[in-house]
Amino acid sequence: GQQVMQIPQYQHVQEGEDFTTYCNSSTTLSNIQWYKQRPGGHPVFLIQLVKSGEVKKQKRLTFQFGEAKKNSSLHITATQTTDVGTYFCCYISGTYKYIFGTGTRLKVLA
Amino acid sequence: DAGITQSPRHKVTETGTPVTLRCHQTENHRYMYWYRQDPGHGLRLIHYSYGVKDTDKGEVSDGYSVSRSKTEDFLLTLESATSSQTSVYFCAISEFASNQPQHFGDGTRLSIL
């Protein structure tokens, strides 16, 4: 089945540096969601984007949905050790199916 | 966190044995999902349910079956477990279909030897 590709697969940053993960689809998406999974934990919903070009912010996190609704990004400003984890994008295919990206694992070095 | 309980949390079993994982929710949400998570593959949908006795296949359904006889319980069964089914299994729920966040259980780590 179709999967949304995320890049990079892994990212190591020094604490205080910025981090960005990208989610790319070959088809137009109706919406996109972002989840965070801490090591050993379960995915936790962060946000949903629906509109073309939409930008939403949550403290140090900025989420964008591309104008063509085929890509999305999550940017973290001044990373902290609490940002460690894997970030997944996800879209809804049809009515019920949630399709997750492959994820970006972030490691923050203190 | 949403009221979702997965059981067992850990299981080790042998190839060829049947295995049933249980997901129990107290949120009265209509939609329930089973995913497996493997390194490099993210979360892949196995089966989902959109109501009592209403289920459908996801992208990796071969070798798995599900049942939902009550709103609160969604069971995932491996009829004859294989080593390729060693994985972490997550249950998720959502209140409505489309444009709704999913809430996940804590996962079941299943090892098949």
Side-chain angles (χ1 to χ4, degrees):
Chain A
Q2 180 186 1
Q3 268 199 317
V4 175
M5 298 308 297
Q6 275 187 257
I7 53 171
Q9 191 174 5
Y10 302 97
Q11 183 83 58
H12 293 182
V13 298
Q14 287 290 137
E15 189 174 20
E17 292 182 339
D18 292 355
F19 160 77
T20 305
T21 174
Y22 301 90
C23 190
N24 298 307
S25 170
S26 57
T27 59
T28 302
L29 306 174
S30 59
N31 64 6
I32 197 140
Q33 299 178 342
W34 285 92
Y35 292 78
K36 176 184 178 181
Q37 183 177 21
R38 295 181 186 276
H42 58 268
V44 175
F45 174 79
L46 294 176
I47 208 159
Q48 176 170 271
L49 305 171
V50 178
K51 300 176 184 176
S52 169
E54 189 170 12
V55 178
K56 288 188 177 180
K57 293 189 176 184
Q58 289 180 349
K59 297 183 180 178
R60 295 177 295 103
L61 277 61
T62 301
F63 303 85
Q64 289 190 307
F65 202 7
E67 293 289 342
K69 301 182 75 174
K70 289 185 176 182
N71 55 72
S72 182
S73 65
L74 158 59
H75 179 82
I76 302 178
T77 303
T79 55
Q80 300 175 358
T81 54
T82 53
D83 296 324
V84 165
T86 301
Y87 292 85
F88 293 98
C89 62
C90 169
Y91 73 96
I92 297 172
S93 173
T95 306
Y96 310 123
K97 293 184 181 180
Y98 291 72
I99 307 297
F100 282 80
T102 46
T104 295
R105 184 181 296 178
L106 173 64
K107 187 170 184 176
V108 179
L109 308 172
Chain B
D1 280 348
I4 308 168
T5 304
Q6 289 187 235
S7 57
R9 292 294 315 281
H10 303 272
K11 187 173 182 66
V12 180
T13 191
E14 294 183 346
T15 300
T17 60
V19 177
T20 296
L21 308 183
R22 180 182 184 233
C23 179
H24 178 80
Q25 59 140 332
T26 58
E27 305 295 322
N28 200 36
H29 284 358
R30 180 178 173 185
Y31 301 91
M32 299 185 75
Y33 306 81
W34 277 107
Y35 293 90
R36 60 178 289 174
Q37 185 171 37
D38 306 289
H41 290 278
L43 290 147
R44 292 183 291 175
L45 181 65
I46 305 171
H47 281 280
Y48 60 96
S49 170
Y50 46 97
V52 173
K53 293 188 166 58
D54 292 323
T55 65
D56 207 347
K57 296 178 181 181
E59 54 185 321
V60 289
S61 59
D62 287 348
Y64 302 94
S65 62
V66 290
S67 65
R68 190 165 178 205
S69 59
K70 298 185 290 185
T71 298
E72 57 266 36
D73 289 324
F74 193 31
L75 303 180
L76 176 70
T77 297
L78 291 65
E79 300 290 347
S80 178
T82 67
S83 58
S84 64
Q85 294 175 310
T86 292
S87 187
V88 179
Y89 291 85
F90 285 100
C91 172
I93 65 174
S94 65
E95 189 170 7
F96 304 105
S98 286
N99 293 345
Q100 294 295 315
Q102 288 193 306
H103 302 284
F104 286 80
D106 289 334
T108 294
R109 186 172 295 275
L110 178 63
S111 297
I112 300 164
L113 307 177

